[in-house]
Amino acid sequence: MSNPLSYETPIHQCRDVLLMQKVRNLRELANLAGVSASTASRALANSPLLSDATRDRIKRLANEHAFHPNATARNLRNRRTSRVAVAIPRDMEDDPFFSTMLGMLGDGLAARDLDVLLVRFGRNQSAWLEAFAASGRVDGMILLGQSDNFDAIERLASRYHALVVWGANLAGQIHCSVGTDNYLGGALAARHLLDVGCRRIAFLGDPTAIEIFQRLAGAQETIAKCGLGEPMHVIPFPLGAPSAHHDIVSYLNNSASRPDGIFAASDLLAMNALKALSDCSTAVPDAVKVVGFDGLGLTEITVPTLTTVCQDLSAGAELLIDQLEQRIAGKPTPCIILPPRLRVRSSTWCRTEKHDTTRCISAPPEEQSIEQEPKRSSK
């Protein structure tokens, strides 16, 4: 680092010049602080081996001289990339659930000085997933959704420890998952539709995906136990299908017995259902009541506003990152199941309607919640 100072330079100018000079590397910072390069490195890494005073003095000097450690060099020393892959299923890019989760994960990872590498995966790509995990391009992977790739994820988890998945938890599974109690969420949706008088309930969603199957199972068993209404009619629409709106319109126009309640496996499908019902001149909630699943912010501005089973996506994103950091460090982590809650809005609430049910709500609650702690299963 060149020195523009001379013996004739006034003292107050010496300080100003030093503060203006930019430190270009760790050795220059160490020389400025009067310590070794290893001590300067430890200070910037918040090492507990140094005193608070020494650590704070070196970090203050680094800040004053606009010095930032070379991340590539640091990663090479630590044998880390400081990068995490976030993988989403193909054809799901337009689903606001995934963009919401990506935003939350991006914020959380950035707060921990971790970069994000976005990748997509589809069916029959287990070999690609395993090759990517072994490539060393990332320190760990977060998969958003199991979809119909459960077996492929299990094979990957048997060889790759630094993996966490947003999705369902099945007894005996290998991979670590964080997700919502889908069965309970389905039961909440069905119970509510029954409570507001629905007796012909249709389910929109493809149950070949494990999470969707669990939501359907919770709804079906609730209806069967209550002994109210007809068996649930299942219309297997994929969550990210671009033709969902057209397909729902076709179903409504051709159905011999139009449903009086719809439970959609996602908020996106539910919003498509609202649009389709409007196009078919069917009033919501007077003629048909609609419940979604996810709890996205967009459900507050639909017309009518959408009743939905809320997933705690913010807590879920933080837990995915927490679990991944533990697994990157080689530690075991449990699966975590978060409780859902039902938020009742205008798509199911009709003030003037009288219901002949065994259990009705008498006022439009802001939300119905299940008070329950997250479940953790040992691995």
Side-chain angles (χ1 to χ4, degrees):
M1 182 168 58
S2 61
N3 188 354
L5 304 177
S6 68
Y7 290 109
E8 290 79 18
T9 305
I11 293 176
H12 70 278
Q13 291 183 16
C14 291
R15 181 178 181 276
D16 292 340
V17 170
L18 286 172
L19 287 176
M20 287 189 294
Q21 287 182 308
K22 182 175 181 180
V23 174
R24 295 170 297 183
N25 54 52
L26 189 65
R27 187 170 298 280
E28 289 184 357
L29 176 67
N31 290 338
L32 187 65
V35 298
S36 66
S38 60
T39 297
S41 176
R42 291 191 184 100
L44 297 178
N46 292 316
S47 171
L49 299 177
L50 302 179
S51 68
D52 291 344
T54 298
R55 189 168 54 245
D56 291 345
R57 181 172 65 86
I58 295 172
K59 290 174 72 175
R60 184 176 64 254
L61 282 171
N63 184 59
E64 289 175 352
H65 291 269
F67 174 72
H68 301 284
N70 186 302
T72 301
R74 180 192 62 202
N75 292 337
L76 285 172
R77 289 194 301 271
N78 297 334
R79 296 183 180 181
R80 292 275 299 273
T81 67
S82 295
R83 186 184 303 121
V84 169
V86 178
I88 64 173
R90 289 188 180 275
D91 303 323
M92 293 294 183
E93 297 88 345
D94 294 332
D95 189 329
F97 165 81
F98 290 97
S99 59
T100 299
M101 284 296 286
L102 282 173
M104 292 178 175
L105 287 171
D107 289 343
L109 291 167
R112 304 180 195 211
D113 292 325
L114 294 170
D115 296 327
V116 177
L117 178 62
L118 180 62
V119 297
R120 299 186 300 166
F121 67 97
R123 296 180 182 180
N124 304 316
Q125 286 195 302
S126 58
W128 179 87
L129 274 175
E130 291 178 23
F132 180 84
S135 69
R137 296 172 62 188
V138 295
D139 296 326
M141 296 178 66
I142 295 173
L143 302 188
L144 290 182
Q146 294 146 325
S147 187
D148 52 1
N149 293 290
F150 188 88
D151 292 338
I153 295 171
E154 285 287 271
R155 286 192 296 271
L156 174 61
S158 67
R159 300 177 176 88
Y160 185 69
H161 186 73
L163 172 71
V164 183
V165 182
W166 173 266
N169 173 232
L170 300 183
Q173 75 181 38
I174 299 173
H175 67 269
C176 173
S177 64
V178 176
T180 300
D181 189 332
N182 293 294
Y183 181 92
L184 178 58
L188 283 172
R191 178 72 263 186
H192 175 61
L193 287 170
L194 291 174
D195 281 351
V196 294
C198 298
R199 294 297 178 266
R200 298 185 309 280
I201 301 173
F203 178 83
L204 307 184
D206 186 358
T208 57
I210 294 170
E211 305 100 311
I212 308 307
F213 174 82
Q214 291 182 336
R215 295 169 195 179
L216 172 61
Q220 286 178 320
E221 292 184 27
T222 296
I223 292 172
K225 287 178 182 177
C226 291
L228 298 172
E230 304 172 3
M232 179 171 273
H233 186 198
V234 179
I235 304 95
F237 294 142
L239 295 185
S243 62
H245 169 260
H246 177 269
D247 292 341
I248 296 171
V249 169
S250 178
Y251 160 71
L252 292 170
N253 287 334
N254 297 317
S255 177
S257 178
R258 182 173 290 188
D260 57 7
I262 290 176
F263 172 33
S266 73
D267 283 343
L268 180 60
L269 276 177
M271 288 186 279
N272 274 286
L274 290 177
K275 177 67 165 58
L277 288 163
S278 176
D279 291 348
C280 293
S281 300
T282 303
V284 178
D286 301 282
V288 180
K289 296 170 175 59
V290 181
V291 176
F293 198 109
D294 281 334
L296 302 177
L298 288 173
T299 58
E300 299 179 19
I301 59 173
T302 57
V303 180
T305 54
L306 182 65
T307 293
T308 182
V309 177
C310 296
Q311 306 190 80
D312 193 341
L313 301 184
S314 179
E318 283 298 311
L319 286 167
L320 284 169
I321 298 171
D322 289 342
Q323 299 291 81
L324 184 63
E325 287 195 316
Q326 293 294 313
R327 296 184 77 80
I328 289 173
K331 300 176 182 179
T333 56
C335 292
I336 300 177
I337 305 173
L338 299 168
R341 71 180 188 276
L342 179 69
R343 178 160 292 174
V344 179
R345 296 198 181 99
S346 301
S347 67
T348 58
W349 182 255
C350 182
R351 292 179 180 274
T352 60
E353 189 171 357
K354 294 182 179 180
H355 308 303
D356 180 18
T357 66
T358 57
R359 175 175 172 265
C360 291
I361 53 177
S362 57
E366 181 177 339
E367 64 181 45
Q368 293 180 351
S369 300
I370 296 294
E371 298 298 332
Q372 178 178 337
E373 292 296 318
K375 303 174 187 176
R376 296 173 183 260
S377 64
S378 59
K379 299 295 290 180

